Amino acid sequence: MKEKLSPFSKLFLIFIFLILYTPIFFLIFYSFNSGGTMYNFESFTLDWYRELFTDYRLLIIVLNTLVVALLSALIATIIGVLGALWIHSFRRRATRNMLMSFNNVLIVSPDVIIGASFLILFTVTGYKLGFYSVLLSHIAFSVPIVVLMVLPKLNEMSSSLVDAARDLGANSWDVLTKVILPYLTPGIMAGFFMALTFSLDDFAVTFFVTGNGFSTLSVEIYSLARRGVSLNINALSTLLFLFTIILVIVYYFIAQRSKSTVMGVRK
């Protein structure tokens, strides 16, 4: 039986969503302003979007950002799933809790500290800052997120599934690929998309480890905003917002499909 929200709860939710979404819609609205400022809306125009698509340097930075986000999310998902399986393999609960505590510390650590740590590490080792330093940093802070998404799913999986598979003659590889990983798919997908979004909007860590000649969108928008607000930033932010919405929709349908598959129900 579904629990109905009280009128106060509905009003509170509407208020919260207004606070969260009003600045975004304000930014989107002025991306179509021919006036060139965010003070007076003169008339509708797509000039800022045309200017955006003719700025090849900015488009390359967008491409860099997407490549880093996709690669780091993919690699972090693989490492995170292996890490979750490794943590789950410990029989002692105290050991698991200790490892999860180490994992959670990295999640709650301030981005400034993580960024400064990586900068010191790369400087001491003589590693050149650029694409790979950003990629490694994004993988590093994404792995704990994936572990956090996958491990609860692993904990709730009944051991009888694995026992049944072994009784039917499955070897360790078959158990992993045909039983465990399909069951973990919702958690794996959640971890991948979380890592992807964390990488896309990260500023603090990237600001420390990006080098000359390489930049990501968050760092570039910060640099552009410091030189003065241009409405092509609004246009770019609008497109990114739409891209994020598409990601959420895709994730929703994948999660629903994975859930149906795990439950043995195909719609």
Side-chain angles (χ1 to χ4, degrees):
M1 184 177 177
K2 292 183 179 178
E3 186 178 348
K4 291 185 178 179
L5 291 175
S6 65
F8 176 77
S9 300
K10 291 178 181 175
L11 285 174
F12 182 74
L13 276 176
I14 292 171
F15 177 70
I16 294 296
F17 280 124
L18 279 176
I19 291 177
L20 292 175
Y21 281 93
T22 298
I24 297 174
F25 289 133
F26 181 78
L27 180 146
I28 293 173
F29 178 69
Y30 276 96
S31 70
F32 301 103
N33 181 21
S34 64
T37 67
M38 292 184 66
Y39 301 107
N40 296 312
F41 191 90
E42 295 184 359
S43 62
F44 179 87
T45 183
L46 291 176
D47 287 348
W48 302 112
Y49 290 89
R50 293 193 191 96
E51 183 179 316
L52 177 66
F53 284 106
T54 56
D55 189 343
Y56 295 111
R57 180 179 172 275
L58 198 56
L59 292 179
I60 290 172
I61 291 173
V62 172
L63 186 63
N64 288 340
T65 306
L66 292 176
V67 169
V68 168
L70 287 170
L71 270 180
S72 64
L74 181 64
I75 298 171
T77 300
I78 295 170
I79 298 173
V81 171
L82 294 176
L85 290 170
W86 179 66
I87 293 174
H88 185 72
S89 67
F90 287 93
R91 295 184 179 276
R92 290 186 60 196
R93 182 179 293 273
T95 307
R96 289 189 198 177
N97 291 338
M98 182 188 70
L99 293 173
M100 277 306 295
S101 299
F102 283 124
N103 184 75
N104 294 340
V105 166
L106 291 173
I107 293 176
V108 298
S109 296
D111 286 349
V112 174
I113 302 299
I114 296 175
S117 303
F118 276 111
L119 178 61
I120 293 169
L121 175 67
F122 291 137
T123 305
V124 169
T125 57
Y127 197 84
K128 187 179 179 183
L129 299 181
F131 173 80
Y132 290 106
S133 63
V134 174
L135 179 64
L136 289 173
S137 306
H138 284 216
I139 291 171
F141 70 66
S142 297
V143 169
I145 299 165
V146 178
V147 172
L148 196 65
M149 294 290 111
V150 174
L151 198 57
K153 199 72 184 163
L154 200 53
N155 288 333
E156 75 178 30
M157 187 180 75
S158 172
S159 59
S160 60
L161 288 174
V162 176
D163 295 336
R166 290 195 184 282
D167 290 342
L168 292 172
N171 56 32
S172 298
W173 178 251
D174 289 335
V175 170
L176 176 66
T177 56
K178 296 180 180 176
V179 178
I180 297 177
L181 290 182
Y183 188 87
L184 298 180
T185 300
I188 294 171
M189 294 307 300
F192 174 81
F193 279 99
M194 286 290 290
L196 185 67
T197 52
F198 268 67
S199 175
L200 281 175
D201 70 359
D202 177 73
F203 169 74
V205 176
T206 309
F207 186 74
F208 277 94
V209 298
T210 190
N212 293 328
F214 183 82
S215 181
T216 63
L217 208 50
S218 57
V219 176
E220 185 64 19
I221 288 177
Y222 173 74
S223 303
L224 291 173
R226 289 188 66 185
R227 282 179 277 175
V229 176
S230 174
L231 293 190
N232 61 358
I233 298 177
N234 293 40
L236 179 59
S237 303
T238 302
L239 295 178
L240 287 176
F241 181 68
L242 293 176
F243 177 71
T244 307
I245 290 177
I246 292 170
L247 275 183
V248 171
I249 294 172
V250 170
Y251 168 67
Y252 172 78
F253 282 108
I254 291 176
Q256 290 296 110
R257 184 179 175 83
S258 301
K259 189 177 178 181
S260 300
T261 304
V262 169
M263 294 175 67
V265 178
R266 289 187 180 276
K267 297 181 179 179

